[in-house]
Amino acid sequence: MLYAVKMDVAIPRDLDPEVRADTVAREKAYSHELQRGGEWAHIWRIAGQYSNISIFDVTDNERLHEILWNLPLFPFMTMEITPLAQHPSDIAVQT
Ligand SMILES: O=C(O)C[C@H]1C=CC(=O)O1
């Protein structure tokens, strides 16, 4: 199942700089691991914002929830999740 996830990050300005750096580094490593495994299929920065739009290719809602819940930056994020279905006009899937 495919999902588009918009993640908006808001790290408190008074967070300890070492904690911030460690959390961001762990987030990057976690993201890379999921990208290599194919479940985090795309990640795009939204220009001018500390936000991204990502595409996840996962088995079900439970797996998506598990992935998102375990993001090191999860406590500092708000998310908008959109399930995706094939579009009938997509030439890649027309018969
Ligand atoms: O920077 C972000 O958009 C937040 C987050 C998502 C992946 C990652 O490495 O950081």
Side-chain angles (χ1 to χ4, degrees):
M1 297 174 72
L2 292 172
Y3 299 86
V5 179
K6 180 173 182 276
M7 303 179 199
D8 299 312
V9 186
I11 301 175
R13 290 188 186 280
D14 61 354
L15 188 67
D16 182 303
E18 281 186 24
V19 173
R20 179 190 172 105
D22 176 67
T23 307
V24 169
R26 288 188 294 111
E27 176 87 12
K28 189 171 185 174
Y30 180 67
S31 172
H32 284 181
E33 180 188 329
L34 290 161
Q35 288 177 58
R36 288 193 198 96
E39 289 185 300
W40 196 325
H42 297 277
I43 181 167
W44 295 93
R45 177 63 78 214
I46 298 177
Q49 297 179 32
Y50 194 0
S51 303
N52 74 74
I53 290 183
S54 292
I55 304 295
F56 288 88
D57 187 355
V58 293
T59 49
D60 51 30
N61 290 349
E62 284 69 29
R63 178 58 184 150
L64 181 68
H65 179 75
E66 180 180 45
I67 287 171
L68 300 178
W69 186 263
N70 285 299
L71 288 166
L73 283 174
F74 183 84
F76 309 120
M77 285 179 171
T78 54
M79 297 186 195
E80 186 181 314
I81 297 164
T82 308
L84 302 175
Q86 282 184 348
H87 194 290
S89 298
D90 184 348
I91 60 170
V93 295
Q94 278 185 353
T95 54

